[in-house]
């Protein structure tokens, strides 16, 4: 996230988070606070926004677009894991890919707001707006007052939702009489989505584990690129480089250039120290950080941040940051069909626990299996296994050197064989030879 140079007089884009997850909302809020102060501001209400952000992968996205129908001048920017899958559902919409590119997002938001305002102001679209009003409803006998129908003036465009809903409103307001009339049918009403999403559990599962489809059970090549992520583009890549330099030099190292410092130290104990809180570290780990964003510097001590920062073990810290960066994907260069094993259990009292993580780890510490096999044995989506694999790999818990089958068979077969058969012939002869005491006794008996 580089700081954007904004020209004087350039308007600030008012952004409303209409239909996004809580993790994305925190990430964007952190970006606005630290890097987009002069280009983007968060609007508290939809009416005061110039552009909105919509996550197409979240349930209830249709209700979000219905909420936008009375505000045609507001620009819309959508994003999804697979933008092509939503291009037919929402034509003429800007759909970005996940994860969001935070460097290009401010300019995209400003362009969407400008294009929407300019398109609505065009005379051709004003003439194309419907100018007819819905037919007045029929007043039924015995009704005390006529049903109310929204009146639309020709000066403002009439949304299609309002026109289509007029007969439904009429049917709902008809008084019930003794005649055998069909019950009124009304369209299901959906609660308007909040600006920060629907629920924490749904947000964590979708935002932190993604929505990737499963791979075939048998190896296929080439593998789709969408199941991989490049660690060098995230915070976990900077942490790995800091850890490697600290291992080679034996000195603590700092990751500088971010809003707060992160320190890595291997001696006398392998720890990570940071001033970031959990609600700040998670969105930062999910964001793409170019190589020039942070720099790794050597330090003599970490006392200046350990006094008021949070101390983690390196294993726990790397597990969390890798899980938040992976989002249900694998690190580049990983073979999802190669059998591996977990060396040990992670500390689930300290680390992020994705769905089914306990079952995955319980199986993986006891057997050699590929991520695809683990998902098939447990009957769960593969993205949950991919998340655990990415976390365990950077935490140093993955053992990819499977022993040879012959060695394993020999070790398992040795205890079941009799001891006499396993002994060499010389040892058998030595065991059958009588002791010196028995030989002396035999000679004394023969001498008598």
């Amino acid at each position: 996230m580089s700081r954007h140079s904004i020209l004087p007089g350039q308007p600030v884009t008012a952004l409303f988070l209409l239909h996004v997850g809580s993790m994305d909302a925190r990430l964007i809020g952190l970006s606005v606070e630290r890097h987009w102060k002069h280009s983007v501001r968060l609007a508290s209400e939809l009416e005061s926004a110039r552009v909105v952000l919509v996550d197409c992968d979240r349930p209830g996205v249709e209700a979000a677009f219905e909420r936008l129908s009375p505000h045609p001048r507001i620009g819309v920017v959508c994003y999804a894991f697979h933008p092509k899958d939503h291009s037919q559902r929402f034509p003429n919409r800007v759909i970005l890919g996940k994860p969001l590119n935070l460097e290009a997002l401010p300019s995209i938001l400003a362009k969407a707001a400008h294009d929407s305002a300019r398109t609505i102001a065009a005379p051709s679209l004003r003439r194309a707006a419907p100018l007819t009003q819905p037919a007045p409803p029929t007043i039924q006998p015995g009704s005390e007052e006529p049903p109310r129908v929204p009146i639309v003036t020709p000066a403002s465009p009439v949304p299609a939702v309002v026109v289509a809903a007029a007969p439904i409103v009429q049917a709902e307001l008809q008084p019930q009489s003794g005649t055998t009339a069909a019950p009124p049918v009304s369209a299901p009403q959906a609660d308007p989505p909040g600006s920060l999403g629907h629920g924490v559990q749904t947000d964590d599962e979708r935002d932190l584990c993604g929505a990737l489809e499963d791979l075939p059970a048998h190896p296929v090549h080439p593998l789709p690129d969408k199941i991989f992520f490049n660690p060098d583009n995230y915070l976990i890549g900077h942490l790995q480089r800091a850890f490697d330099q600290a291992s080679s030099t034996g000195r603590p190292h700092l990751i500088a250039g971010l809003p707060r410092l992160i320190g890595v130290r291997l001696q006398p104990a392998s720890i990570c120290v940071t001033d970031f809180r959990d609600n700040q570290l998670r969105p930062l780990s999910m964001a793409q950080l170019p190589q020039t964003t942070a720099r790794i510097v050597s330090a003599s001590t970490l006392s200046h941040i350990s006094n008021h920062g949070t101390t983690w073990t390196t294993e726990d810290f790397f597990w969390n940051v890798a899980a938040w960066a992976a989002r249900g994907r694998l690190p580049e260069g990983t073979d999802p069909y190669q059998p591996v094993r977990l060396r040990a259990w992670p500390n689930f009292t300290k680390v992020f626990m994705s769905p089914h993580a306990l079952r995955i780890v319980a199986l993986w510490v006891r057997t050699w299996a590929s991520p695809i096999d683990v998902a098939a044995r447990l009957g769960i989506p593969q993205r949950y296994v991919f998340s655990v694999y990415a976390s365990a790999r950077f935490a140093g818990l993955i053992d990819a050197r499977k022993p040879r089958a012959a060695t394993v068979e020999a070790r398992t077969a040795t205890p079941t064989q009799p001891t006499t058969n396993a002994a060499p012939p010389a040892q058998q002869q030595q065991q059958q030879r009588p002791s010196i005491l028995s030989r002396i006794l035999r000679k004394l008996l023969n001498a008598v």
Side-chain angles (χ1 to χ4, degrees):
M1 289 184 294
S2 62
R3 299 184 181 272
H4 303 276
S5 58
I6 307 301
L7 298 177
Q10 182 173 350
V12 178
T13 305
L15 171 65
F16 183 75
L17 305 179
L18 175 62
H19 194 67
V20 301
S22 60
M23 295 299 102
D24 292 342
R26 295 174 186 175
L27 172 63
I28 295 173
L30 181 63
S31 301
V32 171
E33 177 185 355
R34 303 296 301 182
H35 302 282
W36 300 348
K37 292 182 179 179
H38 306 290
S39 59
V40 179
R41 68 175 180 87
L42 291 179
S44 58
E45 298 179 355
L46 178 61
E47 289 73 12
S48 60
R50 294 187 59 211
V51 63
V52 298
L53 198 62
V54 179
D55 187 353
C56 295
D57 293 333
R58 296 179 54 79
V61 64
E62 291 81 4
F65 283 112
E66 290 180 4
R67 189 179 176 186
L68 283 173
S69 57
H71 307 280
R73 293 182 179 273
I74 297 180
V76 181
V77 175
C78 308
Y79 66 105
F81 276 108
H82 310 298
K84 295 181 180 179
D85 298 343
H86 302 277
S87 58
Q88 296 181 356
R89 295 176 56 196
F90 311 111
N92 302 326
R93 297 289 188 184
V94 178
I95 304 180
L96 307 177
K98 289 184 180 179
L100 291 171
N101 187 350
L102 297 182
E103 290 188 344
L105 187 59
S107 59
I108 295 175
L109 295 175
K111 184 177 184 302
H114 176 72
D115 293 346
S116 178
R118 184 179 60 182
T119 303
I120 295 299
S124 59
L125 292 182
R126 288 205 303 265
R127 289 195 299 267
L131 301 180
T132 59
Q133 298 183 4
T138 304
I139 302 177
Q140 301 294 333
S143 60
E144 297 180 358
E145 66 176 282
R148 300 178 182 178
V149 179
I151 301 177
V152 183
T153 59
S156 60
V158 182
V161 176
V162 177
V163 177
I168 298 175
V169 175
Q170 176 183 352
E172 290 178 351
L173 295 179
Q174 289 179 358
Q176 298 180 358
S177 59
T179 59
T180 58
V185 179
S186 60
Q189 298 180 356
D191 297 332
S195 61
L196 295 182
H198 295 281
V200 177
Q201 184 176 2
T202 304
D203 293 344
D204 286 345
E205 182 175 349
R206 182 174 293 273
D207 295 342
L208 297 177
C209 295
L212 295 176
E213 299 179 356
D214 289 350
L215 296 175
H218 302 284
V220 293
H221 296 284
L223 294 172
D225 296 336
K226 60 186 178 182
I227 69 169
F228 299 104
F229 74 100
N230 186 3
D232 294 337
N233 295 335
Y234 295 87
L235 177 61
I236 187 62
H238 297 281
L239 280 173
Q240 187 63 52
R241 286 190 294 273
F243 180 83
D244 295 340
Q245 294 185 19
S247 301
S248 60
T249 61
R251 296 172 57 88
H253 278 68
L254 295 174
I255 300 179
L258 301 177
R260 289 174 174 80
L261 294 175
I262 300 177
V264 179
R265 188 188 69 187
L266 273 65
Q267 298 295 336
S270 182
I271 61 172
C272 294
V273 184
T274 180
D275 292 337
F276 282 107
R277 298 188 299 271
D278 287 346
N279 59 350
Q280 298 172 333
L281 185 63
R282 180 181 293 189
L284 180 65
S285 303
M286 299 168 64
Q288 291 190 7
L289 301 178
Q291 297 285 343
T292 57
T293 301
R295 61 184 183 276
I296 301 172
V297 296
S298 177
S300 58
T301 180
L302 301 181
S303 58
H304 56 289
I305 59 176
S306 60
N307 293 333
H308 52 83
T310 304
T311 302
W312 299 73
T313 63
T314 303
E315 178 183 312
D316 298 344
F317 194 77
F318 275 59
W319 178 287
N320 287 340
V321 175
W324 296 331
R327 305 183 77 169
R329 298 171 296 174
L330 292 170
E332 284 187 352
T334 303
D335 185 3
Y337 297 98
Q338 179 184 0
V340 296
R341 184 181 64 88
L342 292 184
R343 302 179 186 272
W345 279 73
N347 185 7
F348 278 123
T349 62
K350 298 291 185 180
V351 302
F352 168 74
M353 186 167 56
S354 58
H356 307 285
L358 289 174
R359 299 174 59 200
I360 295 171
V361 173
L363 175 62
W364 235 343
V365 296
R366 294 179 299 158
T367 182
W368 291 83
S370 66
I372 304 296
D373 294 337
V374 172
R377 294 184 187 182
L378 298 179
I380 59 177
Q382 296 174 2
R383 58 181 180 270
Y384 298 143
V385 185
F386 293 168
S387 178
V388 173
Y389 179 92
S391 302
R393 173 178 170 179
F394 287 98
L397 299 180
I398 289 291
D399 186 5
R401 298 176 297 178
K402 184 176 181 180
R404 295 181 180 180
T407 306
V408 176
E409 293 178 358
R411 291 178 179 177
T412 55
T414 300
T416 59
Q417 294 179 359
T419 306
T420 56
N421 296 337
Q427 186 178 358
Q428 294 179 2
Q429 293 179 1
Q430 185 177 1
Q431 293 177 357
Q432 295 176 359
R433 185 177 180 181
S435 63
I436 186 172
L437 183 60
S438 61
R439 285 182 291 171
I440 295 174
L441 180 60
R442 188 183 299 113
K443 287 185 177 181
L444 292 175
L445 294 175
N446 296 333
V448 176

